[in-house]
Amino acid sequence: MSAPPPYQNHPPQQPYGHPQQPYGQQQQPYGQQQQAYGQQQQPYGYAQQPAPVPPQQRPPQPSLLRGLITAVIVLAVFGGVGWYVWDYNTNPSGGKAKKEAAQAAKRAEEKTHDPQSGDCVKVEHPNGDPLPTIVDCGSSEAQYKAGERLYGAGKECRSPYTYQIQVTQSRGIDYTMCFTKV
């Protein structure tokens, strides 16, 4: 009986010195898989260990040019907003002046439709509702002369008044305007 040859950790030699795999590739031992260049090979069934983490690197320091560009952008934004606010508040034909002029015109228009006792008015019906407009008492447009106001809903004017208008304001104040014929 002959003894088996001693265990050898070498791949078997091919006859005439020809390698078994193409040129440049190594033969893999049984139970291992081929991996990309530079990675450690593990036998089947074993978990692959994570790659080592490189040491912490300092974050790159911002350059002087980047800081200068940021400062210019911030100054431009604040300068633009500041100029807009200044122009809005000081320009005579700017936003604030236009807003105030529109409010003054609205108040003046409302005053022409809110006669006080003794004012002469002409009454128009633009939307079906009577709208008194103050006019000069000597003009041919004057139709009625304003008398007293009766506050409260549903009030009725008594003599000598010949015409009345019920008014309900947006603030919830109801009143009746009484007029006499001119």
Side-chain angles (χ1 to χ4, degrees):
M1 263 188 66
S2 74
Y7 175 63
Q8 296 178 356
N9 198 8
H10 301 291
Q13 293 291 329
Q14 296 293 326
Y16 306 108
H18 294 288
Q20 185 176 1
Q21 294 191 358
Y23 182 73
Q25 294 183 0
Q26 298 177 0
Q27 184 176 5
Q28 299 292 322
Y30 179 75
Q32 291 185 353
Q33 61 183 0
Q34 184 173 354
Q35 295 183 356
Y37 178 75
Q39 292 183 352
Q40 186 176 357
Q41 297 177 354
Q42 297 290 327
Y44 287 112
Y46 291 97
Q48 189 173 10
Q49 295 181 4
V53 177
Q56 291 287 339
Q57 296 179 356
R58 287 187 340 179
Q61 297 296 322
S63 68
L64 181 61
L65 181 60
R66 180 178 286 170
L68 183 63
I69 290 172
T70 303
V72 167
I73 290 172
V74 168
L75 287 174
V77 168
F78 280 109
V81 169
W83 177 83
Y84 175 78
V85 170
W86 176 79
D87 185 58
Y88 181 85
N89 288 318
T90 60
N91 190 346
S93 62
K96 186 175 182 181
K98 287 181 182 178
K99 184 177 178 182
E100 289 173 352
Q103 289 174 345
K106 183 178 178 184
R107 284 191 300 270
E109 175 69 21
E110 288 174 354
K111 276 189 169 185
T112 63
H113 299 294
D114 187 27
Q116 302 301 315
S117 183
D119 289 338
C120 293
V121 297
K122 70 175 181 175
V123 179
E124 300 173 330
H125 300 276
N127 298 330
D129 293 329
L131 180 65
T133 304
I134 299 173
V135 294
D136 185 28
C137 288
S139 75
S140 62
E141 293 182 318
Q143 298 171 326
Y144 300 99
K145 189 169 194 173
E148 63 181 314
R149 288 185 186 207
L150 305 174
Y151 288 95
K155 300 283 183 163
E156 294 290 326
C157 296
R158 296 200 161 89
S159 114
Y161 302 110
T162 58
Y163 186 71
Q164 67 183 22
I165 298 176
Q166 299 284 332
V167 177
T168 303
Q169 292 183 337
S170 61
R171 291 173 265 157
I173 300 172
D174 297 335
Y175 60 91
T176 303
M177 289 191 289
C178 301
F179 300 92
T180 58
K181 190 82 170 153
V182 174

